[in-house]
Amino acid sequence: MRIARPILLVSTPIGVIFGLREAWRLAGPKMALLMLAMLAVVGSLVWWTVRRIRQENAHERARLGNPANER
């Protein structure tokens, strides 16, 4: 995971940008905007899920009386 994580963090946004550019080139602006809307919805749902999990973990730590930096 030491090498895979940085590679994924760099290659994923590049791949998304390349995919949007290809959609624009092959199918026109409507398809690219539709893909961008889909990415925005999926990204916001992932963000919402991660935020919810972090809130629940913080709530559980507070309920048990553990400091935030202790696992």
Side-chain angles (χ1 to χ4, degrees):
M1 285 303 289
R2 268 184 130 175
I3 294 175
R5 185 174 295 151
I7 290 173
L8 284 172
L9 286 173
V10 171
S11 64
T12 301
I14 292 172
V16 168
I17 291 169
F18 180 73
L20 287 171
R21 187 183 69 89
E22 283 298 305
W24 187 287
R25 187 178 68 82
L26 292 173
K30 288 182 183 179
M31 180 58 75
L33 291 176
L34 186 63
M35 284 180 61
L36 186 61
M38 179 193 66
L39 286 169
V41 169
V42 170
S44 65
L45 290 174
V46 168
W47 171 80
W48 181 65
T49 303
V50 169
R51 190 177 126 242
R52 180 68 176 195
I53 291 169
R54 288 179 179 169
Q55 285 176 348
E56 288 179 1
N57 286 341
H59 179 68
E60 188 68 23
R61 278 194 305 269
R63 187 178 69 81
L64 295 175
N66 293 339
N69 60 359
E70 189 177 311
R71 293 192 184 233

